Amino acid sequence: MIDLNDISKRFNQYKSIIIEMLIDYYGEKNRDTIVNRIGSVYFNFSSTPKDNYQYALTHCDDMSKSDFMLCKVKYIQYKRKNNRSKKLNNSLLRKYIVDKFSIHNLDRIVEDDDIFLSLFSDSLFNSSQIDSFSSRSLKRQRSSQVSKAVKDRIQKDQEQFNCIMENFGIEMKDPPAELVDQFILYRKKIQLNYKNYIAIKSKFGKDIFKEMKSQFHLRLNPSIFSDIVFRENAFSGSVVVNGQAFYNYVRVPLIHLLNKDVKGLDVNIIHEIIHKAETDGNRVGITSYNQGNPDMGENAVLNDIRTQMLAIRFTKQLHDMGIYLYDDPMDCKVEGESDYEWLFPIAEAFLEKYEDIFKECSFHNIPSKLYDYFGAAFQKYSVYINNKYHCFKKSLSEGSPSFLNIKMDDQVNRFIENMEISYNSKIKVKDKIK
């Protein structure tokens, strides 16, 4: 099992080998750049004490009694801060609801406070049944593009909300969408308050803060810091100061992912490391930040598809060497661990064929050369893939399998054909110049 007291131990043990793999791929001439880029990254693989305790309960037979008790004590301390924050922010949430929705019979609500609040927020201040009356939900009910199952779920939430409110004796049937939209925005602020308090007050949060401050010599804004602390997936990001200084980090909550039965921990980590090997300032591979959001940058999806292809390759190389960072050698996955793999059928062959060009452009952050090589069709191809991916994600969120079978079609073939025509013409001109 993973050592909860030193969760970064295995990564640190093999970090230099991973760096050498990157140097072997990008070239010895880029050694100093790779070493400096990876060396400046803050890596954190910790999960919350709640996640650790859940893991310890499952693996208690493999732990010493003292380690198990230490894990339990940390969880109890963390839970106290969590409960304190929840109580404070539930109070703010309740006051907003009572004031904005003009609720008067408070005696009945106090008796069943948990049931009342559950209509407006889940335990982590995420969506609940009142969201079924939001502008977005009402729009989805009217849309012909939304499945019947999704529409039925929205209607069921509306009916349950109205029924429970009626049982409370509150006249609040079908709350106005405008009020609900305003409430959802306020709840997001409450959620941030909730996370900030725990991140700043808990020992778990303080330890991460101390580590990041030590590496970056930077005091982080609470909202930025809590977003880093409570990440629930593998993520590489940057703390940006004055739009100029970029402090890079990789956050992988390993125990949280293990508790979710994720069996591709290593490929998740390698994916994020590749991003950092190809990061310079606000430029990441062949994409760039868009108002601080790399997911909306130009070529963002194509960049992630290529990154996942490399992550699979490098992870297989590690495993072939007998090196497993955190995966179980007897029960792990390398492929099928990323949504980007659904788009491999329309991108993998093209990216492999022109791998040397994409490697150079990604490492040196010069997507402009791709436009030079592949012409106007490249931008159309990249936008097409970006849109296809977001349609795919939307179909997943709505429980529809309509975009799961992504494959080559006439439009993609035309894009690739035009890109290759442009590429071959450019190569012929260069050959003539020689």
Side-chain angles (χ1 to χ4, degrees):
M1 66 172 287
I2 294 175
D3 182 1
L4 297 178
N5 296 318
D6 190 1
I7 206 159
S8 297
K9 184 177 180 180
R10 287 188 65 80
F11 174 73
N12 291 329
Q13 181 181 353
Y14 296 115
K15 183 179 176 181
S16 60
I17 293 176
I18 297 171
I19 290 175
E20 289 301 322
M21 287 175 62
L22 294 169
I23 292 169
D24 183 60
Y25 179 73
Y26 294 105
E28 182 66 32
K29 62 184 179 181
N30 296 309
R31 171 179 288 275
D32 290 346
T33 302
I34 293 169
V35 170
N36 290 334
R37 285 180 178 179
I38 301 301
S40 65
V41 175
Y42 168 69
F43 291 94
N44 185 280
F45 302 109
S46 67
S47 299
T48 68
K50 180 180 178 181
D51 286 314
N52 289 346
Y53 184 56
Q54 181 182 340
Y55 181 78
L57 287 172
T58 307
H59 297 82
C60 56
D61 291 342
D62 299 320
M63 297 177 68
S64 68
K65 187 175 180 179
S66 60
D67 282 347
F68 180 82
M69 290 307 298
L70 178 61
C71 186
K72 184 176 181 179
V73 168
K74 288 180 178 179
Y75 166 63
I76 292 171
Q77 292 171 341
Y78 176 80
K79 188 177 180 181
R80 285 176 186 155
K81 299 298 182 185
N82 193 303
N83 289 342
R84 172 66 175 163
S85 182
K86 191 168 293 183
K87 184 177 179 180
L88 289 170
N89 288 291
N90 271 339
S91 178
L92 291 173
L93 194 69
R94 188 186 303 105
K95 185 179 185 307
Y96 182 94
I97 294 167
V98 170
D99 290 346
K100 296 297 182 180
F101 291 97
S102 303
I103 296 173
H104 304 293
N105 49 341
L106 300 181
D107 293 342
R108 178 68 186 278
I109 293 171
V110 170
E111 291 175 11
D112 297 296
D113 189 56
D114 290 343
I115 297 175
F116 174 74
L117 284 178
S118 71
L119 296 172
F120 296 85
S121 167
D122 73 359
S123 61
L124 299 177
F125 301 99
N126 292 306
S127 63
S128 191
Q129 287 169 325
I130 194 171
D131 292 52
S132 62
F133 298 100
S134 69
S135 297
R136 179 174 181 269
S137 292
L138 298 181
K139 183 178 179 181
R140 294 172 80 190
Q141 278 188 307
R142 296 190 297 267
S143 174
S144 60
Q145 302 299 314
V146 176
S147 68
K148 183 178 183 299
V150 172
K151 293 179 180 180
D152 288 345
R153 190 162 59 243
I154 293 172
Q155 184 176 347
K156 184 178 178 181
D157 283 343
Q158 291 172 345
E159 291 171 352
Q160 287 183 342
F161 180 91
N162 287 333
C163 180
I164 296 173
M165 292 301 279
E166 185 178 343
N167 289 339
F168 274 122
I170 299 172
E171 295 182 4
M172 191 178 158
K173 186 176 182 180
D174 297 343
E178 184 180 357
L179 275 182
V180 175
D181 292 345
Q182 291 172 4
F183 167 74
I184 291 171
L185 290 175
Y186 181 77
R187 189 179 59 203
K188 288 181 180 178
K189 294 180 182 178
I190 291 294
Q191 186 182 61
L192 187 58
N193 288 342
Y194 165 71
K195 289 182 175 180
N196 285 350
Y197 182 94
I198 301 170
I200 295 168
K201 298 291 185 180
S202 71
K203 187 177 186 305
F204 164 67
K206 287 178 180 178
D207 286 346
I208 295 179
F209 183 86
K210 184 178 179 181
E211 289 175 4
M212 295 190 77
K213 186 178 179 182
S214 175
Q215 174 142 347
F216 295 154
H217 307 291
L218 179 71
R219 186 173 182 84
L220 299 178
N221 179 288
S223 61
I224 295 174
F225 178 60
S226 65
D227 181 57
I228 296 170
V229 169
F230 290 106
R231 280 280 169 183
E232 293 190 340
N233 59 323
F235 185 80
S236 63
S238 300
V239 179
V240 184
V241 179
N242 298 327
Q244 294 179 334
F246 296 86
Y247 301 86
N248 290 301
Y249 66 87
V250 167
R251 180 87 170 90
V252 185
L254 282 168
I255 299 301
H256 174 78
L257 295 174
L258 271 175
N259 289 342
K260 290 174 62 179
D261 201 32
V262 172
K263 299 183 186 300
L265 300 174
D266 290 1
V267 75
N268 271 280
I269 292 170
I270 298 301
H271 182 110
E272 306 309 333
I273 293 174
I274 293 169
H275 276 321
K276 288 310 172 194
E278 297 181 349
T279 294
D280 180 23
N282 70 334
R283 298 175 297 176
V284 183
I286 56 171
T287 190
S288 60
Y289 280 74
N290 182 320
Q291 296 179 346
N293 185 354
D295 294 331
M296 299 305 292
E298 194 173 64
N299 306 322
V301 176
L302 194 62
N303 188 68
D304 261 310
I305 293 171
R306 176 184 168 276
T307 302
Q308 185 63 16
M309 288 170 56
L310 286 179
I312 290 170
R313 185 191 305 179
F314 292 162
T315 304
K316 284 182 177 179
Q317 289 176 15
L318 276 178
H319 289 182
D320 287 345
M321 294 163 62
I323 296 174
Y324 290 79
L325 300 176
Y326 298 97
D327 280 341
D328 179 352
M330 305 302 294
D331 185 23
C332 67
K333 289 176 66 178
V334 176
E335 297 178 85
E337 281 295 295
S338 169
D339 292 340
Y340 296 111
E341 292 174 50
W342 286 99
L343 291 123
F344 278 12
I346 61 174
E348 187 175 26
F350 176 70
L351 291 171
E352 285 181 343
K353 184 174 182 178
Y354 299 98
E355 181 173 4
D356 287 344
I357 294 173
F358 276 94
K359 181 198 303 186
E360 179 188 6
C361 293
S362 297
F363 187 78
H364 297 290
N365 313 118
I366 44 175
S368 58
K369 289 191 72 171
L370 295 172
Y371 298 100
D372 290 341
Y373 275 116
F374 300 115
F378 176 75
Q379 184 176 24
K380 294 177 182 178
Y381 175 65
S382 180
V383 169
Y384 177 86
I385 284 181
N386 196 65
N387 291 338
K388 199 78 169 175
Y389 175 74
H390 290 295
C391 286
F392 161 70
K393 293 291 284 185
K394 183 180 178 183
S395 72
L396 285 183
S397 68
E398 295 178 350
S400 170
S402 57
F403 285 94
L404 295 182
N405 187 23
I406 296 175
K407 56 185 179 180
M408 291 292 287
D409 56 33
D410 290 341
Q411 192 166 9
V412 176
N413 283 322
R414 281 196 299 273
F415 288 143
I416 292 176
E417 182 181 343
N418 288 333
M419 286 190 290
E420 294 195 325
I421 289 172
S422 175
Y423 175 78
N424 289 329
S425 66
K426 297 286 172 57
I427 295 301
K428 287 178 181 178
V429 169
K430 289 182 180 180
D431 288 341
K432 286 182 179 179
I433 293 174
K434 288 179 182 179

